[in-house]
Amino acid sequence: MKKNYIIALVLLIICFGLTITAIVFNVKENVEMCTYIAMGASGAAFFSCLFGLNSWKEK
């Protein structure tokens, strides 16, 4: 399979995992840790979008 597609898929799975973890920390009322994990999820989603767009260019 395409390399950029695999990287985007892995980053998307990491993003979903971090989002669920941030929700758990929010329920446990650990706001500081929730914020850091949510920022990590946003970064993973951003890079996933970049690699996903680059996968369309591959032939």
Side-chain angles (χ1 to χ4, degrees):
M1 294 184 83
K2 298 178 182 178
K3 181 177 142 184
N4 283 332
Y5 176 75
I6 299 286
I7 294 172
L9 190 62
V10 168
L11 284 171
L12 184 66
I13 292 169
I14 290 171
C15 176
F16 279 129
L18 287 174
T19 303
I20 291 170
T21 307
I23 291 170
V24 169
F25 275 111
N26 193 18
V27 169
K28 292 173 76 175
E29 296 181 358
N30 191 347
V31 177
E32 182 178 347
M33 198 64 157
C34 173
T35 304
Y36 292 139
I37 293 173
M39 287 190 307
S42 297
F46 174 74
F47 285 117
S48 177
C49 288
L50 286 180
F51 280 106
L53 289 174
N54 283 335
S55 72
W56 287 352
K57 295 177 185 177
E58 290 180 347
K59 298 226 176 183

